[in-house]
Amino acid sequence: MDNFKALFTKDDIFLTSLKNSIFFMIFSLITQQIIGLILAAILSGLRYGKNVYKNIIYLPCVLSSAALGLLFSFILKPNMGLNQLLAIFGIQGPNWLMSVNGYIPLTMWVIGVVALWIYVGTTMMLYMAGIAGIDKSLLEAAYIDGAGKTKTFFYVTLPLLKPMARTTISLTCIGSLKFFDLVYNMTQGGPNNKTQTMATWLYFEGFSYFKYGYASAISIVLLIMCLLVTFIINKCISIKDFEN
């Protein structure tokens, strides 16, 4: 119990990691769900080239996120990669992975965008599977009644994707709360512990400082948050309401 008390009263880094984990969850939830759904709707309506675009967007999902984290850590270094490209056009690039200013530093937003690029393909594929499972007769009936593609999407397709939405939202939220390898390989929680997440701080406490009991307390808090988020999602998106 002393470990849990210390987490919330004495450990400022844990509070920062808690804030960052919640930020990643909200950012990933909004961006991945919206962009993944839009991509799924667009690709599902294509007649030609669907598989090519689908494979291109999904490709980062099958690559190692740890390797991609190392790749972007080099690309975003101040004196190489992206900043050198910007310098050609006379633009001085910021310190992408060294910013500590603001309540949510620039570095956090950069990691969030990289995570979006990596994982949005999974959300897209799940929504495409949901769209493919919709009975075509329902869509045809909507078209016959005079509904265009936009109205059919919002009033027929979107409500029928409710069960799949619950699955994708749960996976996105839980995965974001457990962010580790991407953050660790891009910043290792720095600078000045400003990009620590609950998973990375758990790792440092347990395997760098050998405070196993304290690290276990962090893992319990992380587990409770995952269970709580799942419970809220299941309550807010009820399949029973959908069936009725």
Side-chain angles (χ1 to χ4, degrees):
M1 296 307 296
D2 288 339
N3 284 331
F4 289 104
K5 183 179 178 181
L7 279 177
F8 293 98
T9 59
K10 299 179 181 179
D11 193 345
D12 292 335
I13 299 177
F14 170 76
L15 296 178
T16 300
S17 71
L18 179 62
K19 177 197 70 175
N20 290 340
S21 294
I22 294 174
F23 164 77
F24 277 134
M25 183 184 69
I26 296 174
F27 180 84
S28 298
L29 177 62
I30 295 173
T31 56
Q32 288 186 32
Q33 292 301 308
I34 293 175
I35 296 176
L37 181 59
I38 292 173
L39 289 173
I42 293 173
L43 293 184
S44 296
L46 291 181
R47 299 179 110 188
Y48 305 103
K50 179 193 299 186
N51 290 333
V52 175
Y53 295 119
K54 182 172 65 176
N55 291 334
I56 291 173
I57 296 171
Y58 188 70
L59 179 62
C61 299
V62 300
L63 301 177
S64 168
S65 56
L68 291 175
L70 288 173
L71 173 65
F72 276 97
S73 69
F74 285 108
I75 292 174
L76 298 174
K77 279 187 175 180
N79 298 321
M80 62 187 299
L82 181 58
N83 280 359
Q84 281 192 338
L85 179 62
L86 294 174
I88 296 175
F89 300 97
I91 302 173
Q92 183 178 359
N95 290 328
W96 301 101
L97 300 179
M98 296 297 292
S99 174
V100 295
N101 298 323
Y103 185 71
I104 304 294
L106 173 64
T107 306
M108 292 291 298
W109 293 96
V110 171
I111 297 173
V113 171
V114 173
L116 168 65
W117 174 71
I118 295 175
Y119 298 115
V120 72
T122 301
T123 304
M124 178 198 71
M125 293 291 284
L126 289 171
Y127 276 126
M128 286 186 71
I131 292 173
I134 296 175
D135 191 346
K136 302 303 179 186
S137 63
L138 297 175
L139 303 178
E140 292 171 358
Y143 293 141
I144 292 172
D145 288 341
K149 289 187 176 181
T150 303
K151 285 189 174 180
T152 301
F153 176 76
F154 281 104
Y155 293 103
V156 179
T157 304
L158 206 55
L160 292 174
L161 285 176
K162 196 174 180 181
M164 184 59 73
R166 187 168 76 170
T167 301
T168 58
I169 290 173
S170 297
L171 291 174
T172 300
C173 289
I174 294 173
S176 301
L177 287 173
K178 297 190 300 178
F179 253 2
F180 173 77
D181 47 1
L182 193 62
V183 176
Y184 183 81
N185 283 285
M186 289 183 70
T187 65
Q188 291 193 342
N192 197 25
N193 292 310
K194 292 295 183 179
T195 60
Q196 292 282 7
T197 63
M198 294 180 66
T200 57
W201 190 232
L202 185 158
Y203 170 82
F204 282 116
E205 288 288 356
F207 299 101
S208 294
Y209 309 138
F210 304 107
K211 297 163 65 176
Y212 298 116
Y214 197 73
S216 297
I218 298 175
S219 70
I220 295 296
V221 174
L222 181 59
L223 173 63
I224 292 173
M225 287 184 64
C226 290
L227 292 175
L228 182 61
V229 167
T230 305
F231 176 78
I232 293 173
I233 292 170
N234 289 335
K235 282 295 182 181
C236 292
I237 306 177
S238 176
I239 301 302
K240 183 178 180 181
D241 294 338
F242 162 75
E243 291 175 347
N244 291 335

